[in-house]
Amino acid sequence: MLHDDSPPAPEGRPTGLAARLMRALTDPEVRIEIPYDDLPRLSDEELGTLLAEAQAVRTSAPHEARMLALALEGAARDRRPRYTPEACRRMIEALTARSEDHDRVDLTPGVRALEHRTGPLTEVAGALRTLVASLLAKDSVRQLYALITIAGLGDEALLPEVVERLSRDLGPILADEIAVVAGLPRAERTQLSETFREHRHISPNSPADVWYRSAENPAYAAFARRALEAAAERAEAIRAGEIPYRADKAFTDREITTLGQAARVALRRDEPWLPDLFDRLLPGISVAPTAARTLPSQGLLYELVRAAQDFPTPELVTAIRAVRGTVRHAGVPKQLDKMLKKVDAALAERTDVALRLPTLGFDADGVLRRELDGGYAAVVTVAETATLVWEKDGRPLRGVPAPVRRDHAGPVKELRDLVKRVNTQLLTLTRVLEGGFTVDAVHPYGWWRTGLAGHPLARTLVRRLIWEVEVAPGTWRAVLPETDELPEAPEDASVRLWHPIRSRPDAVRAWRDLLVEGRIRQPFKQAFREIYLLTPAEEETRVHSNRFAAHLVHYRRMFALFRARGWASDLLGPWDAGEQDAAERTLGAGRWRVRFFHALADRDGEGALATTDQVRFARLVDGDWREAPLTEVPPLVFSEAMRDVDLFVGVTSIAADPHWTDGGPTRAYWERAGFAELPESAQARRDVLERILPRLKIADRCALDGRFLVVRGTLRTYRIHLGSANILMEPDGSYLCIVAARGKGEGKVFLPFEDERLSLILSKAFLLADDTGITDRSILSQITRGS
């Protein structure tokens, strides 16, 4: 540890805390316990000076110095440090040293230092020329924009030299880009550098609006189209044999980065020429012109999907899924499936374009009929999903008739692909509509009535959801199109999805009763949706919630759920800074960020456990994330964010693992959490059971008692926990382990929404109500033990 009695620093050097940290960075003999809680006390200039010195810390430095450098970078993440001319010079010299020692050089810190300097550049000009010369000598052009920006800040001759040198070797696409960027005014060039250094490879959770400036720049927008057109032409030339085919070599890594950025700009602008271009480009880079199970550019394919994660459009999502079905490489479809989950989540946040749906030839009732020779016909009907039925002279057939398979193989494949495409679009639309909750998406009533509620494909989903129409200023009327007539309202009136957080409890109960009585299954949980309101404990902690802290979870399962729900998180593991992380998601049209902290509890491979911790929120202010008190978070954003965290904990907690037999603290947690008070998700489950239990044939053997469903069998009485689905047996309270019960009622009970845990509870209830009919010896031995 360092103490306050360290000798005074020379004039102009940091003092106090900053001086102690500087010694820890520069003196290999000094060891320091990193004062994380004190780092916010550093001034902006002190932080800038320390960050400049942190760049000089090499991989061979002591572990403590490297950890301190990382801590300082973390402390600067939500701040804007300022750099004196001396700090700027030190930063540039450190980057030059990295370049000369063959280290990978990230120029981003240098650009930031120059942009946020406190004095003139005269003291840095020579150092800038040395850095640029070193980078060009080693062909280190990983960050073109930063290099051009740095060169433009040097003497007048430096920028033309860099442009000529780079354009000579990088090919026509990059030469075009370099000329465009170099020709911009200095301020715009610096803005582009700032925008593009926020590319996902550098900052994966950057807010989408860092791309707005480049998308609004006419010169760069025009280049984006030229670059993507050139890429499509190159892919077509490879397919035609005009360019020799080499697996995954159609584009260089640098070209892939530039084309990804060009795609983001065009997608942000929602350019009308994009759908046709992607229909040319994606197949061209995804399937080899030979019979090889390779592809011309796996890198560009993934980069375009990552662009779709940032600025998705329905047309691009459809094109990606079409390619997913044709690519021959064995590993690519699985990777695309993972990436598409994030695309779907992002599309839900972009409601201005997400609801565009083609009719695909279906009539107003959602039916497409295709007549074939010999009196055969194919009928595709869209109800909850799309289904294909074959007919002969108007009579339905069980499958595809042999003459049709023989004589119409092409149309058969086309129709099957159409069914898959429609179901994919319905799945995407479902996720888009549900994701619209957090942005409180509002649509013009006239367009909604014809473009959604009356759309041949969308209507099957839209009509089973509850909507609110603003029939008069400030007066909203809730309507379920499946059962109600649409109200009279002006064409430009607002319509939005109904959410229970905006309704009175009696209105919520009425909608839930209606769904159960009418056996209406909603596309996603709406009427029975959980509501998470701020608690007194959360008002007291002010900026963080402990509601879902201190749980033990199966880490890999939770990490998979992060990805599935569109949360970004680094994988925990035995590496530097790999012990803990915060999963993040942006909500409210990108204006709010939620972070769910968690840490490794052990490192047992696939069986690794994690502990959960705080949930915190931040608001986007002037391009920076600022931590916000929970009382300032919009109630709907707070509720939807906490709903996801409840899902993560509820699904992955070891309390819901019937196999858990470990002893010690984990067993104590399992016993405590496995029968604890019900979270909001389990309370919604109880609400459903109250309505459907009287309709079941085992109703006389079932009753709800607090957090349990009590089932009276012949041999015993059983208490099934509505959160974990764990079972206690009366009269002694012993635990009954049933790993997977498949009772007689499974699949026959109507549920107004999909819930695996609720289905499991009902399955166990049907099994235990008829416990004399159980034949599984492992279950029987537990029930009869001690009898």
Side-chain angles (χ1 to χ4, degrees), residues 387-455:
T387 55
L388 171 61
V389 175
W390 293 92
E391 295 181 354
K392 167 70 171 176
D393 297 328
R395 299 189 310 276
L397 304 174
R398 291 186 176 180
V400 185
V404 172
R405 281 200 305 268
R406 182 184 65 241
D407 301 332
H408 301 285
V412 169
K413 182 180 184 304
E414 177 187 339
L415 287 164
R416 285 174 171 168
D417 289 344
L418 176 65
V419 170
K420 292 179 182 178
R421 180 180 178 186
V422 170
N423 285 330
T424 295
Q425 289 185 342
L426 292 177
L427 176 61
T428 299
L429 178 60
T430 298
R431 291 174 176 168
V432 167
L433 292 173
E434 185 175 16
F437 273 139
T438 66
V439 297
D440 213 5
V442 175
H443 316 286
Y445 184 51
W447 172 83
W448 173 86
R449 192 174 55 236
T450 57
L452 277 183
H455 191 281

Side-chain angles (χ1 to χ4, degrees), residues 341-672:
K341 291 177 181 177
K342 284 191 176 181
V343 176
D344 288 337
L347 189 59
E349 298 278 343
R350 203 181 184 199
T351 55
D352 54 332
V353 301
L355 299 179
R356 292 195 302 245
L357 279 179
T359 60
L360 301 178
F362 284 80
D363 64 21
D365 294 323
V367 177
L368 182 146
R369 187 178 183 87
R370 184 78 57 84
E371 302 288 345
L372 299 175
D373 297 338
Y376 294 104
V379 181
V380 182
T381 304
V382 181
E384 291 190 14
T385 59
T387 55
L388 171 61
V389 175
W390 293 92
E391 295 181 354
K392 167 70 171 176
D393 297 328
R395 299 189 310 276
L397 304 174
R398 291 186 176 180
V400 185
V404 172
R405 281 200 305 268
R406 182 184 65 241
D407 301 332
H408 301 285
V412 169
K413 182 180 184 304
E414 177 187 339
L415 287 164
R416 285 174 171 168
D417 289 344
L418 176 65
V419 170
K420 292 179 182 178
R421 180 180 178 186
V422 170
N423 285 330
T424 295
Q425 289 185 342
L426 292 177
L427 176 61
T428 299
L429 178 60
T430 298
R431 291 174 176 168
V432 167
L433 292 173
E434 185 175 16
F437 273 139
T438 66
V439 297
D440 213 5
V442 175
H443 316 286
Y445 184 51
W447 172 83
W448 173 86
R449 192 174 55 236
T450 57
L452 277 183
H455 191 281
L457 306 182
R459 64 195 295 274
T460 182
L461 302 179
V462 172
R463 295 181 62 81
R464 290 179 286 126
L465 292 169
I466 307 165
W467 298 83
E468 288 183 307
V469 182
E470 194 173 25
V471 293
T475 302
W476 296 84
R477 176 181 165 188
V479 59
L480 178 67
E482 185 77 5
T483 60
D484 301 330
E485 289 189 12
L486 299 182
E488 293 293 332
E491 293 290 293
D492 60 351
S494 296
V495 59
R496 66 187 180 188
L497 270 174
W498 175 91
H499 193 288
I501 204 169
R502 290 192 294 255
S503 292
R504 301 184 315 274
D506 59 335
V508 175
R509 284 193 296 270
W511 283 118
R512 293 179 176 182
D513 290 340
L514 177 63
L515 292 180
V516 174
E517 292 290 337
R519 298 180 65 84
I520 298 172
R521 184 180 177 89
Q522 294 196 289
F524 52 83
K525 193 186 292 187
Q526 186 191 24
F528 286 90
R529 201 171 191 84
E530 305 87 350
I531 298 174
Y532 299 79
L533 302 176
L534 206 60
T535 65
E538 288 163 339
E539 292 177 353
E540 186 174 336
T541 54
R542 205 175 73 81
V543 295
H544 68 268
S545 169
N546 289 322
R547 190 184 307 198
F548 296 106
H551 285 275
L552 279 172
V553 298
H554 291 287
Y555 173 64
R556 290 284 182 164
R557 297 179 197 171
M558 187 169 73
F559 185 76
L561 270 180
F562 289 158
R563 299 295 180 87
R565 296 292 297 178
W567 289 59
S569 178
D570 291 333
L571 186 67
L572 300 183
W575 42 76
D576 286 349
E579 293 290 334
Q580 56 188 1
D581 189 42
E584 298 182 1
R585 183 185 174 190
T586 55
L587 302 166
R591 310 309 299 178
W592 288 90
R593 182 186 71 186
V594 57
R595 305 182 79 194
F596 175 38
F597 291 81
H598 54 282
L600 275 184
D602 68 33
R603 299 177 178 177
D604 187 18
E606 290 296 320
L609 298 181
T611 58
T612 62
D613 207 337
Q614 301 174 354
V615 176
R616 291 176 176 261
F617 290 82
R619 179 196 289 113
L620 191 64
V621 180
D622 297 330
D624 294 324
W625 289 111
R626 307 282 176 82
E627 189 168 68
L630 301 182
T631 53
E632 296 180 9
V633 181
L636 201 150
V637 170
F638 180 83
S639 183
E640 289 297 301
M642 298 300 277
R643 182 176 184 269
D644 268 3
V645 178
D646 189 355
L647 171 72
F648 299 149
V649 173
V651 171
T652 66
S653 169
I654 65 169
D657 185 348
H659 285 297
W660 197 261
T661 57
D662 286 7
T666 61
R667 183 66 182 185
Y669 165 80
W670 183 91
E671 292 175 349
R672 180 178 69 254

